[in-house]
């Protein structure tokens, strides 16, 4: 989270920003121009977008290449809205998301997809035949690239010597005998070196021949990619939950989809109780915001509410609320950021 004034000097940065960009408090106090953390290739675009925000134009999340103090480049997604004081735009407040891991995963998945295409276009899918009692009767030579066994070594072998989890075969046999086929059965096989190969099996029971026939697909890379994507999702959850702001995600029907730990602390409502509830029902004191949320979603531009006040324990608390629309075509919704600015307001009143 950061703030800049009209002269493009950073005036506020949260602790995560200091950690990310590696600047000290002393360097920050001495003055840091926002362009110091923007890669030169993005200077012109960033300058234009700053003017657009200050002139009142609402823009959604934009990707930039940012730069740490060390010179290391960071792919980032940035949301920003103008700060208005006494009716005059005095600066910009924004949120930066480091998307390095997501970009790396994207590249890895693209490379993985290319490898899958090459396998599909240039390699045969292993075909097998087994007896009902689990002896391999036939298998295509392409299996060697999967399991490192030759066709000759495998024919006549018991499947129990290949299954990493022998109980899986019992389940598959029962399903093929009762339903006649299996379209997608995941299993773990040990190759000749003892390595676990994650495979997707199709199978059909040929009653007149008393045997099973089918194909095998190596999905080890896909399983690894799924594991990596889950790790990145968990990482993103950690980032969201470490934010000092209350973050609430809603869908187009105002049902809550995200509820970070700061929201739990503010309301005392656990995540599993909040997700799926209507925003206005769970937080009735914020129900006047529903119209602004729908406006942000429909027009696809952020909405800002400054110094929203509410009573907490017989005291008036002030909050700045920013509503960011989700601009991806796959889903509609918004992210609501709530920042308690009570102390800031009191300081402004004193000054």
């Amino acid at each position: 989270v950061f703030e800049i004034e009209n002269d493009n000097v950073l005036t506020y940065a949260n602790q995560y920003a200091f950690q990310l960009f590696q600047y000290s408090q002393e360097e920050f106090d001495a003055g840091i121009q926002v362009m110091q953390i923007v890669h030169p290739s993005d200077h012109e675009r960033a300058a234009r977008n700053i003017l657009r925000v200050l002139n009142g134009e609402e823009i959604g999340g934009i990707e930039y290449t940012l730069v740490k103090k060390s010179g290391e480049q960071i792919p980032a997604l940035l949301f920003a809205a103008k700060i208005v004081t006494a009716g005059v735009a005095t600066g910009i407040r924004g949120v930066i998301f480091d998307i390095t891991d997501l970009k790396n995963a994207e590249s890895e998945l693209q490379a993985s997809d290319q490898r899958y295409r090459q396998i599909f276009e240039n390699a045969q899918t292993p075909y097998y035949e087994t007896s009902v009692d689990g002896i391999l009767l036939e298998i295509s030579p392409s299996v060697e690239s999967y399991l490192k066994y030759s066709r000759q070594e495998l024919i006549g072998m018991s499947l129990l010597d290949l299954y990493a989890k022998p109980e899986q075969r019992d389940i598959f046999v029962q399903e093929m005998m009762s339903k006649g086929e299996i379209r997608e059965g995941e299993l773990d096989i040990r190759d000749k070196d003892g390595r676990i190969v994650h495979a997707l099996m199709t199978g059909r029971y040929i009653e007149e021949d008393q045997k099973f026939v089918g194909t095998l697909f190596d999905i080890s890379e896909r399983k690894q990619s799924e594991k990596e994507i889950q790790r990145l999702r968990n990482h993103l959850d950690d980032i969201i939950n470490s934010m000092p702001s209350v973050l609430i995600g809603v869908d187009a029907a105002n049902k809550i989809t995200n509820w970070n730990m700061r929201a739990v602390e503010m309301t005392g409502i656990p995540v599993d109780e909040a997700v799926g509830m209507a925003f206005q029902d769970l937080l009735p004191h914020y129900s006047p915001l529903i119209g602004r949320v729908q406006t942000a979603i429909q027009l696809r531009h952020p909405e800002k509410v400054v110094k929203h006040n509410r009573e907490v324990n017989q005291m008036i608390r002030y909050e700045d609320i920013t509503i960011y629309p989700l601009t991806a075509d796959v889903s509609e919704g918004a992210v609501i950021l709530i920042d308690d600015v009570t102390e800031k307001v009191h300081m402004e009143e004193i000054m």
Side-chain angles (χ1 to χ4, degrees), residues 131-149:
S131 64
V132 173
D133 57 357
I135 301 300
L136 265 169
L137 306 174
E138 183 58 271
I139 194 159
S140 58
S142 57
V143 73
E144 188 170 352
S145 64
Y146 285 66
L147 302 181
K148 300 181 182 178
Y149 287 103

Side-chain angles (χ1 to χ4, degrees), residues 273-289:
E273 291 184 17
V275 172
M277 292 287 292
F279 176 79
Q280 62 272 25
D281 294 340
L282 195 65
L283 301 172
H285 49 279
Y286 290 118
S287 58
L289 295 175

Side-chain angles (χ1 to χ4, degrees), residues 55 62 89 149 262 275 278 311 348:
N55 288 332
I62 297 178
Y149 287 103
R262 186 69 187 91
V275 172
E311 186 174 322
E348 290 174 353

Side-chain angles (χ1 to χ4, degrees), residues 38 47 256 340:
V38 178
I256 293 172
D340 190 318

Side-chain angles (χ1 to χ4, degrees), residues 172-190:
F172 295 150
V173 168
Q174 291 175 13
E175 186 170 348
M176 283 192 283
M177 295 288 278
S178 62
K179 298 181 180 179
E181 66 177 356
I182 289 178
R183 294 189 177 182
E184 292 187 348
E186 290 193 16
L187 69 154
D188 297 329
I189 306 173
R190 292 192 186 278

